[in-house]
Structure formats: structure tokens, C-alpha cells
């Protein structure tokens, strides 16, 4: 099942993508794709609905972030062996975690805003997932059952802010528009093994990232179990799981984004995103 949100920012409506690729309006069934809507019981209710009985949306227009009301946006760093190698780092013995601001979340095709003073704006295609049940001190099986679904995340990063401005990574990770998610949330049962998904990213038509979740070191269920030892998770919280090789920072010479650049990215089974880089107002 593919769940999505469509409409103008702040006025998105919940939807479902049927097997013919038609958006169906879910606003008569659920208030939004958020929180309690992502519980196993509600997802089962949505699966039981014949999509043909839902209103078709002829022109859905803008797609919004596929999850609303996110409480926590947790990110995992250096979690792909090939990406760690290209940046001269080693895979850590335990996952490295940091947070993005929830204000960074935007739609999958919304513009990426180049912040004022930015000199090293970079890209990262990532597999993300959303929690559908309360999780605390969970074992791996419990954590796996609590994952409601998966989606594409673009972990946009400003490397000078992240690395050269001292302190934690969040300075270069949480800027407005640095967290496009979507186009849709694909429920866990439809994704199957999240460790076997091809993923890619292109800038201005040139492919820079061409990898797979097979090189992911710490897998989603382990990550949720691990992170739940430090904090509880509630329905609607999201975790993004790291990126494969091919980021601008790791190239020789390095390549970074500028105003007017077009970024396209996608993950097998989860859809694609497209963003144009614009200047901060």
C-alpha cells in the first residue's frame, strides 16, 4: 500500500496510490497520514478498502511530505561501508546518530533552498522509515514489527556548516528544505526486505550515486531497536538510515550544488524525487 499527501503546504490531504497509479482521496477515512493513522490496526483497515470506492483525484498537483506531524527526525551517519570509505572514515562500532530539525521536512519535489553563506551544499539519497507503534527498549523483532513503512529521503547537507563550523553535525543538516520525504510511504509488507533495494541520485542528469541498501551496515530493525535504548519512539517518528557512496564531499575534485541545479533521486519500490536548488530569500 502506498500512502501519500497532496495539496499546498499546510493544507495537504491524505491519499492512496492505487495499482493503476491513480491518487485516491482518503480524507473521508482518515484525517492525515500521521501518528495513530500509522498503527497496525488502522493500516489493516485501509488495506481492506477497495481503492475504487474512494474518490479519484484527477489533478493532485503538489505532493507533500508523505508523513505529517513528525515528532522526531533521527538520522544515522556513516552507515554504508562504501560511503564511509569514500570520506576517509571507518564504520563505527555502534551507529552514529544525529537529529534533523522537523522544520527541514518538505515535499519530494519542493525546491531545495541554498542557505545564506552556503559554499558546500551536498546530496545524499537515503532509505527512511516511519514508526507506527510506541517503541521503548525494544528487541529487534519488536522493532521490526513497529516499522509502518519506508520512503525516500534526501538528506541534504551543507558540509561547511557541518564540518567546519564546530560542534555537532546538526548545523549542516537541519536547514529549511533539507529533508524532502516521499513521494509516498510504502507499507512494510509491500517493501519486503529493505536491505535489497537499488538506489540512485543524479545532478543535472549526471549520475553520482548508484548504490544499494545491500551496503548498509546497520539495518532498519536493528537501528530502531538500538535507538530505543536511548529514547522512546512514538507513531509518526522517522529514522533515515544513511547513504551509499557518491556524495559530492567524497569526489575528487569535490562537487557541490548551486542555485539552478536539478537533483533527481530514487529508491527501488519507493518512487522518485526531483528538486531544483534555489537561493535563500
Amino acid at each position: 500500500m502506498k500512502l501519500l499527501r497532496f495539496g499546498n503546504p499546510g493544507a495537504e490531504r491524505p491519499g492512496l496510490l492505487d495499482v493503476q497509479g491513480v491518487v485516491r482521496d482518503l480524507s473521508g477515512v482518515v484525517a492525515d497520514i500521521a501518528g495513530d493513522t500509522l498503527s497496525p490496526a488502522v493500516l489493516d483497515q485501509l488495506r481492506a478498502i477497495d481503492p475504487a470506492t474512494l474518490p479519484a483525484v484527477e489533478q493532485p498537483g503538489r505532493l507533500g511530505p508523505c508523513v505529517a506531524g513528525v515528532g522526531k527526525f533521527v538520522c544515522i551517519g556513516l552507515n554504508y561501508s562504501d560511503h564511509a570509505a569514500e570520506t576517509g572514515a571507518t564504520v563505527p562500532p555502534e551507529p552514529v546518530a544525529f537529529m534533523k530539525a522537523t522544520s527541514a521536512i518538505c515535499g519530494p519535489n519542493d525546491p531545495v533552498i541554498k542557505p545564506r553563506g552556503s559554499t558546500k551544499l551536498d546530496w545524499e539519497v537515503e532509505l527512511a522509515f516511519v514508526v507506527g507503534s510506541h517503541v521503548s527498549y525494544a528487541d529487534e523483532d519488536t522493532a521490526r514489527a513497529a516499522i509502518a513503512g519506508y520512503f525516500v529521503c534526501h538528506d541534504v547537507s551543507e558540509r561547511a556548516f557541518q564540518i567546519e563550523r564546530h560542534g555537532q553535525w546538526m548545523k549542516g543538516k537541519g536547514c529549511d528544505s533539507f529533508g524532502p520525504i516521499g513521494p509516498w510511504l510504502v507499507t512494510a509488507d509491500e517493501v519486503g526486505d529493505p536491505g535489497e533495494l537499488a538506489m540512485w541520485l543524479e545532478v543535472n542528469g549526471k549520475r553520482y550515486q548508484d548504490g544499494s541498501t545491500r551496503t548498509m551496515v546497520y539495518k532498519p530493525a536493528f537501528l530502531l531497536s538500538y535507538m530505543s535504548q536511548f529514547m522512546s519512539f512514538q507513531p509518526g517518528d522517522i529514522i533515515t538510515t544513511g547513504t551509499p557512496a557518491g556524495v559530492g564531499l567524497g569526489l575528487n575534485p569535490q562537487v557541490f550544488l548551486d542555485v539552478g541545479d536539478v537533483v533527481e533521486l530514487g529508491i527501488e519500490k519507493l518512487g522518485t524525487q526531483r528538486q531544483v536548488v534555489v537561493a535563500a530569500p
Side-chain angles (χ1 to χ4, degrees):
M1 185 165 56
K2 295 181 174 67
L3 303 174
L4 54 87
R5 303 172 66 249
F6 62 96
N8 293 327
E12 293 94 344
R13 298 164 68 181
L16 179 152
L17 191 73
D18 70 18
V19 294
Q20 283 79 38
V22 176
V23 174
R24 300 285 178 167
D25 193 340
L26 276 173
S27 57
V29 182
V30 295
D32 210 338
I33 308 301
D36 293 341
T37 302
L38 300 169
S39 71
V42 175
L43 291 181
D44 284 344
Q45 292 173 10
L46 296 180
R47 287 189 191 93
I49 298 173
D50 179 358
T53 64
L54 298 170
V57 183
E58 298 299 333
Q59 294 182 321
R62 171 185 175 269
L63 292 179
C66 58
V67 181
V70 175
K72 287 192 285 293
F73 192 169
V74 177
C75 309
I76 306 299
L78 301 174
N79 193 31
Y80 280 66
S81 55
D82 51 351
H83 172 57
E86 74 172 345
T87 58
T90 56
V91 175
E94 296 185 41
V96 170
F98 59 95
M99 306 282 277
K100 272 186 181 281
T102 56
S103 54
I105 295 172
C106 62
N109 304 314
D110 290 347
V112 165
I113 301 169
K114 184 178 182 180
R116 297 179 187 180
S118 168
T119 58
K120 296 182 179 180
L121 187 63
D122 206 348
W123 57 82
E124 296 188 15
V125 58
E126 302 205 1
L127 172 72
F129 63 86
V130 62
V131 177
S133 307
H134 178 83
V135 178
S136 181
Y137 297 109
D139 60 29
E140 200 164 332
D141 288 340
T142 301
R144 183 178 293 104
I147 295 175
Y150 298 88
F151 49 89
V152 181
C153 175
H154 186 184
D155 178 16
V156 185
S157 307
E158 212 303 331
R159 303 301 188 186
F161 294 0
Q162 176 189 353
I163 300 168
E164 300 168 21
R165 298 291 295 272
H166 305 287
Q168 298 183 349
W169 288 3
M170 59 180 292
K171 292 179 184 177
K173 294 288 191 172
C175 305
D176 290 354
S177 81
F178 276 24
I181 59 172
W184 37 73
L185 160 66
V186 184
T187 51
D189 60 303
E190 188 168 319
V191 172
D193 183 356
E196 290 289 337
L197 303 175
M199 53 203 309
W200 57 272
L201 182 145
E202 296 178 351
V203 179
N204 300 328
K206 180 177 179 178
R207 184 157 297 198
Y208 285 97
Q209 291 188 277
D210 195 0
S212 167
T213 56
R214 285 190 295 272
T215 63
M216 184 190 302
V217 179
Y218 301 111
K219 308 298 183 181
F222 175 85
L223 290 172
L224 180 54
S225 170
Y226 176 86
M227 291 304 303
S228 78
Q229 312 305 310
F230 305 100
M231 64 188 77
S232 64
F233 285 81
Q234 287 73 44
D237 289 345
I238 63 178
I239 297 180
T240 189
T241 61
T243 195
V247 302
L249 179 70
L251 301 175
N252 186 16
Q254 294 177 336
V255 177
F256 297 110
L257 297 170
D258 205 349
V259 172
D261 286 342
V262 177
V263 185
E264 296 176 279
L265 59 148
I267 299 179
E268 182 182 0
K269 299 183 180 180
L270 304 182
T272 61
Q273 300 184 356
R274 182 182 187 276
Q275 297 113 24
V276 178
V277 180
V278 301

